[in-house]
Amino acid sequence: MSLKYAIIGCGRISPNHVAAAIENNLNIVALCDVDESKMDATISMFELPETVKKYTDYKEMLQQESPELIGICTESGKHAQIALDCIEHGSNLIIEKPIALSLEEADQIIALAKEKNVKVSACHQNRFNKSVQKMREAVEEGRFGRLLHGTAHIRWNRGEDYYTQAPWRGTWEQDGGALMNQCIHNIDLLRWMMGDEIVEVVGMTDNLMHGFIEAEDLGMALVRFKNGSYGIIEGTTNIFPKNLEETLYVFGEEGTVKIGGKSVNIIEEWMFADDKDNSEEVKAKYYENPPSVYGFGHNPLYTDVIEAIKNDRDPYVTAVDGRNALELVLAIYKSAAEGKSVKLPLEKCSTMDFAGRFSK
């Protein structure tokens, strides 16, 4: 029996979720958005049956439909409250990144999901990229030897049109800046590959080209991991004239891997002391060329969450993983705002702590 599925928020990223729901044979029972025209566009795009209901109030949808799995794709600042209401109702969740905009909210989501035995996955779909999975396998097999350092570069472009399409973007209350919105996927991957536990972060952020938004369009950071390795993060939406690359490097005592492309889809360097595989064959086998920076990861992420629900196990990408990515971005913001290094773990921090930071 396929799970009853609903989506809350029918904006830019929602088609990836709906497509994944269809691909995984979910029973789509409802769409929810405050703008009815967006729901109509989604129904038209996917030729959804007339049985799919439309709601402008997600609480009413929860009462009427009781979906077993919900995709939350609203403005980032609304993720947490909607998630808590859905968990309270017993629905499992896939929450678009970031999972929340404050650590307190993320902790509430994690605690309530545990209490209600509800599965919550943070939608960091790039973990399912073929290239990323291959890198992760090498990390887990210890092929790098001692990890030395890793770097995440997100060199993208976002113009004024992107922000006028959805006025919540670039605001502290509903979004954050380049690091929180565009770069958090690769920031998540860097943290995951380098051992997850971080002891210290030094960050700098600025708004160089986007005076019409509140948050940063450039972020740089140094990260010190508990295992003695280091990380470098460079994220920007200022690249002329269009998206250039999203790359992830891992450097170890006995291995070097670089994943590049528009959104970490292509293995560009694969070198290991053990010579266990042919680097050219690996590059060819794990190559993907998706039509957009969103990649192909939503489908396998949905497959995994469905299996997690049916087998009562944790999803591959958990709510805690979502919190970890959020914590690192907030730590960079905090370090940049205070002009000093920040020690982790952080217990409390929110995007709203930085409101007014770039006000001229």
Side-chain angles (χ1 to χ4, degrees):
M1 189 67 185
S2 63
L3 299 173
K4 287 168 69 178
Y5 173 82
I7 189 165
I8 302 174
C10 294
R12 181 181 169 112
I13 194 62
S14 65
N16 297 69
H17 288 257
V18 176
I22 292 168
E23 193 71 27
N24 282 283
N25 298 310
L26 290 172
N27 175 18
I28 302 174
V29 294
L31 308 177
C32 182
D33 198 291
V34 292
D35 182 345
E36 195 163 346
S37 70
K38 289 185 178 177
M39 292 189 278
D40 290 337
T42 302
I43 289 167
S44 172
M45 180 189 293
F46 291 99
E47 298 178 346
L48 296 177
E50 287 177 12
T51 51
V52 175
K53 303 272 183 46
K54 296 186 294 183
Y55 292 88
T56 54
D57 181 342
Y58 74 89
K59 290 181 180 176
E60 185 190 346
M61 184 196 78
L62 289 172
Q63 291 296 335
Q64 296 294 327
E65 306 293 340
S66 294
E68 293 160 286
L69 176 61
I70 296 174
I72 298 178
C73 302
T74 62
E75 305 92 316
S76 302
K78 293 193 168 74
H79 289 175
Q81 188 56 57
I82 294 172
L84 292 168
D85 291 335
C86 292
I87 295 166
E88 199 66 63
H89 206 83
S91 297
N92 302 284
L93 298 178
I94 294 170
I95 307 175
E96 254 306 326
K97 55 76 190 166
I99 191 170
L101 291 182
S102 77
L103 294 176
E104 298 95 313
E105 289 173 329
D107 287 335
Q108 286 172 354
I109 290 168
I110 292 162
L112 191 60
K114 191 174 179 185
E115 182 191 318
K116 300 285 183 183
N117 193 29
V118 158
K119 310 303 173 196
V120 176
S121 178
C123 195
H124 288 293
Q125 78 276 0
N126 286 353
R127 288 193 181 200
F128 290 91
N129 290 3
K130 287 182 184 178
S131 53
V132 172
Q133 284 283 299
K134 188 63 179 168
M135 177 190 269
R136 181 67 188 178
E137 181 187 279
V139 168
E140 289 178 355
E141 289 176 356
R143 292 183 67 189
F144 286 94
R146 180 182 163 206
L147 290 172
L148 303 174
H149 88 281
T151 72
H153 307 279
I154 307 91
R155 295 162 175 158
W156 283 359
N157 173 285
R158 290 292 182 275
E160 193 163 0
D161 286 357
Y162 171 81
Y163 295 95
T164 49
Q165 276 172 9
W168 60 270
R169 292 178 184 150
T171 66
W172 290 114
E173 186 181 8
Q174 295 295 331
D175 188 12
L179 294 180
M180 189 69 82
N181 192 321
Q182 285 76 32
C183 307
I184 197 167
H185 284 301
N186 212 11
I187 287 170
D188 165 64
L189 295 180
L190 179 71
R191 180 166 187 167
W192 186 45
M193 295 296 179
M194 301 306 293
D196 259 339
E197 289 188 82
I198 295 170
V199 292
E200 186 177 15
V201 172
V202 180
M204 288 190 181
T205 60
D206 208 337
N207 184 322
L208 300 177
M209 301 274 291
H210 292 69
F212 43 86
I213 68 169
E214 295 175 4
E216 86 289 348
D217 60 16
L218 175 73
M220 308 277 190
L222 294 172
V223 181
R224 187 159 64 90
F225 290 91
K226 191 176 180 182
N227 61 15
S229 67
Y230 291 83
I232 297 170
I233 294 164
E234 172 205 345
T236 182
T237 49
N238 294 333
I239 298 303
F240 175 85
K242 61 183 187 211
N243 289 352
L244 181 63
E245 62 181 335
E246 181 178 6
T247 54
L248 180 68
Y249 291 82
V250 173
F251 301 106
E253 199 176 8
E254 296 168 352
T256 292
V257 174
K258 174 192 178 187
I259 306 179
K262 284 282 196 297
S263 55
V264 285
N265 305 106
I266 301 164
I267 295 174
E268 296 183 357
E269 299 293 346
W270 184 267
M271 298 178 283
F272 287 98
D274 62 18
D275 281 332
K276 258 173 55 173
D277 40 28
N278 178 296
S279 67
E280 294 309 312
E281 285 173 11
V282 169
K283 288 178 198 176
K285 186 175 178 183
Y286 296 93
Y287 175 92
E288 289 178 298
N289 187 22
S292 77
V293 294
Y294 301 134
F296 297 122
H298 286 85
N299 190 25
L301 185 138
Y302 266 72
T303 304
D304 171 73
V305 172
I306 293 162
E307 288 172 1
I309 294 165
K310 289 182 174 173
N311 299 314
D312 193 23
R313 63 160 171 85
D314 285 338
Y316 188 69
V317 191
T318 64
V320 173
D321 294 324
R323 186 199 188 277
N324 283 348
L326 173 68
E327 179 189 44
L328 180 45
V329 174
L330 289 173
I332 297 168
Y333 285 171
K334 187 174 170 68
S335 172
E338 295 177 356
K340 60 184 183 185
S341 75
V342 167
K343 299 287 195 288
L344 269 64
L346 283 181
E347 285 182 19
K348 291 184 176 180
C349 197
S350 161
T351 52
M352 287 304 290
D353 296 349
F354 312 104
R357 172 128 158 71
F358 300 114
S359 298
K360 299 290 187 282

mmCIF file of all heavy atoms in Angstrom, residues 169-187:
data_model
loop_
_atom_site.group_PDB
_atom_site.id
_atom_site.type_symbol
_atom_site.label_atom_id
_atom_site.label_comp_id
_atom_site.label_asym_id
_atom_site.label_seq_id
_atom_site.Cartn_x
_atom_site.Cartn_y
_atom_site.Cartn_z
ATOM 1 N N ARG A 169 13.400 35.815 0.146
ATOM 2 C CA ARG A 169 14.808 35.428 -0.054
ATOM 3 C C ARG A 169 15.748 36.542 0.374
ATOM 4 O O ARG A 169 15.512 37.709 0.091
ATOM 5 C CB ARG A 169 15.065 35.083 -1.534
ATOM 6 C CG ARG A 169 14.372 33.821 -1.983
ATOM 7 C CD ARG A 169 14.616 33.548 -3.457
ATOM 8 N NE ARG A 169 13.867 32.373 -3.904
ATOM 9 C CZ ARG A 169 13.418 32.195 -5.123
ATOM 10 N NH1 ARG A 169 13.627 33.116 -6.052
ATOM 11 N NH2 ARG A 169 12.760 31.094 -5.448
ATOM 12 N N GLY A 170 16.814 36.157 1.036
ATOM 13 C CA GLY A 170 17.813 37.131 1.453
ATOM 14 C C GLY A 170 17.456 37.902 2.705
ATOM 15 O O GLY A 170 18.203 38.783 3.124
ATOM 16 N N THR A 171 16.298 37.565 3.331
ATOM 17 C CA THR A 171 15.923 38.225 4.588
ATOM 18 C C THR A 171 16.396 37.372 5.763
ATOM 19 O O THR A 171 16.457 36.147 5.678
ATOM 20 C CB THR A 171 14.397 38.414 4.699
ATOM 21 O OG1 THR A 171 13.760 37.119 4.781
ATOM 22 C CG2 THR A 171 13.844 39.181 3.508
ATOM 23 N N TRP A 172 16.709 38.036 6.878
ATOM 24 C CA TRP A 172 17.158 37.298 8.067
ATOM 25 C C TRP A 172 16.012 36.501 8.684
ATOM 26 O O TRP A 172 16.222 35.416 9.222
ATOM 27 C CB TRP A 172 17.732 38.260 9.095
ATOM 28 C CG TRP A 172 19.048 38.857 8.677
ATOM 29 C CD1 TRP A 172 19.308 40.168 8.381
ATOM 30 C CD2 TRP A 172 20.290 38.166 8.494
ATOM 31 N NE1 TRP A 172 20.621 40.331 8.029
ATOM 32 C CE2 TRP A 172 21.259 39.116 8.091
ATOM 33 C CE3 TRP A 172 20.686 36.826 8.629
ATOM 34 C CZ2 TRP A 172 22.584 38.783 7.827
ATOM 35 C CZ3 TRP A 172 22.012 36.485 8.369
ATOM 36 C CH2 TRP A 172 22.944 37.456 7.971
ATOM 37 N N GLU A 173 14.804 37.026 8.595
ATOM 38 C CA GLU A 173 13.673 36.366 9.244
ATOM 39 C C GLU A 173 13.247 35.091 8.530
ATOM 40 O O GLU A 173 12.853 34.109 9.164
ATOM 41 C CB GLU A 173 12.483 37.333 9.320
ATOM 42 C CG GLU A 173 11.328 36.776 10.115
ATOM 43 C CD GLU A 173 10.134 37.722 10.180
ATOM 44 O OE1 GLU A 173 10.132 38.757 9.476
ATOM 45 O OE2 GLU A 173 9.218 37.415 10.942
ATOM 46 N N GLN A 174 13.353 35.080 7.184
ATOM 47 C CA GLN A 174 12.826 33.946 6.425
ATOM 48 C C GLN A 174 13.872 33.150 5.646
ATOM 49 O O GLN A 174 13.531 32.155 5.013
ATOM 50 C CB GLN A 174 11.744 34.441 5.445
ATOM 51 C CG GLN A 174 10.502 35.004 6.098
ATOM 52 C CD GLN A 174 9.715 33.970 6.900
ATOM 53 O OE1 GLN A 174 9.733 32.781 6.609
ATOM 54 N NE2 GLN A 174 9.035 34.421 7.941
ATOM 55 N N ASP A 175 15.148 33.579 5.673
ATOM 56 C CA ASP A 175 16.101 32.921 4.780
ATOM 57 C C ASP A 175 17.539 32.924 5.295
ATOM 58 O O ASP A 175 18.074 31.893 5.678
ATOM 59 C CB ASP A 175 16.024 33.599 3.401
ATOM 60 C CG ASP A 175 16.837 32.891 2.325
ATOM 61 O OD1 ASP A 175 17.278 31.759 2.563
ATOM 62 O OD2 ASP A 175 17.009 33.480 1.239
ATOM 63 N N GLY A 176 18.177 34.074 5.351
ATOM 64 C CA GLY A 176 19.630 34.137 5.470
ATOM 65 C C GLY A 176 20.189 34.448 4.096
ATOM 66 O O GLY A 176 19.441 34.753 3.162
ATOM 67 N N GLY A 177 21.506 34.375 3.954
ATOM 68 C CA GLY A 177 22.129 34.756 2.688
ATOM 69 C C GLY A 177 22.666 33.583 1.901
ATOM 70 O O GLY A 177 22.146 32.460 1.983
ATOM 71 N N ALA A 178 23.713 33.828 1.132
ATOM 72 C CA ALA A 178 24.274 32.823 0.227
ATOM 73 C C ALA A 178 24.654 31.534 0.954
ATOM 74 O O ALA A 178 24.403 30.435 0.467
ATOM 75 C CB ALA A 178 25.494 33.401 -0.495
ATOM 76 N N LEU A 179 25.266 31.667 2.128
ATOM 77 C CA LEU A 179 25.710 30.463 2.842
ATOM 78 C C LEU A 179 24.517 29.595 3.258
ATOM 79 O O LEU A 179 24.561 28.375 3.145
ATOM 80 C CB LEU A 179 26.526 30.832 4.079
ATOM 81 C CG LEU A 179 27.881 31.509 3.836
ATOM 82 C CD1 LEU A 179 28.570 31.801 5.160
ATOM 83 C CD2 LEU A 179 28.779 30.649 2.952
ATOM 84 N N MET A 180 23.468 30.222 3.743
ATOM 85 C CA MET A 180 22.316 29.469 4.249
ATOM 86 C C MET A 180 21.464 28.911 3.116
ATOM 87 O O MET A 180 20.949 27.796 3.210
ATOM 88 C CB MET A 180 21.457 30.368 5.146
ATOM 89 C CG MET A 180 20.358 29.614 5.881
ATOM 90 S SD MET A 180 20.993 28.484 7.148
ATOM 91 C CE MET A 180 21.257 29.649 8.507
ATOM 92 N N ASN A 181 21.299 29.674 2.047
ATOM 93 C CA ASN A 181 20.393 29.247 0.987
ATOM 94 C C ASN A 181 21.110 28.424 -0.089
ATOM 95 O O ASN A 181 20.765 27.274 -0.347
ATOM 96 C CB ASN A 181 19.716 30.471 0.355
ATOM 97 C CG ASN A 181 18.557 30.085 -0.544
ATOM 98 O OD1 ASN A 181 18.610 29.100 -1.277
ATOM 99 N ND2 ASN A 181 17.485 30.851 -0.491
ATOM 100 N N GLN A 182 22.113 29.003 -0.715
ATOM 101 C CA GLN A 182 22.756 28.322 -1.837
ATOM 102 C C GLN A 182 23.859 27.341 -1.420
ATOM 103 O O GLN A 182 24.073 26.332 -2.073
ATOM 104 C CB GLN A 182 23.361 29.350 -2.814
ATOM 105 C CG GLN A 182 22.342 30.059 -3.669
ATOM 106 C CD GLN A 182 21.578 31.124 -2.936
ATOM 107 O OE1 GLN A 182 22.099 31.767 -2.030
ATOM 108 N NE2 GLN A 182 20.323 31.321 -3.304
ATOM 109 N N CYS A 183 24.567 27.643 -0.351
ATOM 110 C CA CYS A 183 25.799 26.901 -0.047
ATOM 111 C C CYS A 183 25.647 25.788 0.974
ATOM 112 O O CYS A 183 26.566 24.996 1.178
ATOM 113 C CB CYS A 183 26.886 27.863 0.427
ATOM 114 S SG CYS A 183 27.176 29.249 -0.698
ATOM 115 N N ILE A 184 24.502 25.707 1.629
ATOM 116 C CA ILE A 184 24.359 24.777 2.747
ATOM 117 C C ILE A 184 24.499 23.314 2.329
ATOM 118 O O ILE A 184 24.948 22.477 3.106
ATOM 119 C CB ILE A 184 23.035 25.024 3.515
ATOM 120 C CG1 ILE A 184 23.086 24.370 4.899
ATOM 121 C CG2 ILE A 184 21.832 24.611 2.678
ATOM 122 C CD1 ILE A 184 21.970 24.805 5.829
ATOM 123 N N HIS A 185 24.169 22.989 1.080
ATOM 124 C CA HIS A 185 24.329 21.608 0.621
ATOM 125 C C HIS A 185 25.795 21.184 0.656
ATOM 126 O O HIS A 185 26.138 20.118 1.166
ATOM 127 C CB HIS A 185 23.795 21.450 -0.810
ATOM 128 C CG HIS A 185 22.311 21.417 -0.896
ATOM 129 N ND1 HIS A 185 21.544 20.473 -0.250
ATOM 130 C CD2 HIS A 185 21.436 22.216 -1.560
ATOM 131 C CE1 HIS A 185 20.261 20.687 -0.516
ATOM 132 N NE2 HIS A 185 20.169 21.742 -1.299
ATOM 133 N N ASN A 186 26.652 22.012 0.105
ATOM 134 C CA ASN A 186 28.074 21.651 0.055
ATOM 135 C C ASN A 186 28.723 21.763 1.435
ATOM 136 O O ASN A 186 29.636 21.018 1.765
ATOM 137 C CB ASN A 186 28.809 22.529 -0.958
ATOM 138 C CG ASN A 186 29.955 21.800 -1.637
ATOM 139 O OD1 ASN A 186 30.104 20.583 -1.519
ATOM 140 N ND2 ASN A 186 30.783 22.536 -2.352
ATOM 141 N N ILE A 187 28.227 22.704 2.243
ATOM 142 C CA ILE A 187 28.687 22.826 3.628
ATOM 143 C C ILE A 187 28.341 21.545 4.392
ATOM 144 O O ILE A 187 29.155 21.020 5.164
ATOM 145 C CB ILE A 187 28.070 24.080 4.277
ATOM 146 C CG1 ILE A 187 28.753 25.337 3.700
ATOM 147 C CG2 ILE A 187 28.170 24.039 5.795
ATOM 148 C CD1 ILE A 187 28.080 26.644 4.064
#
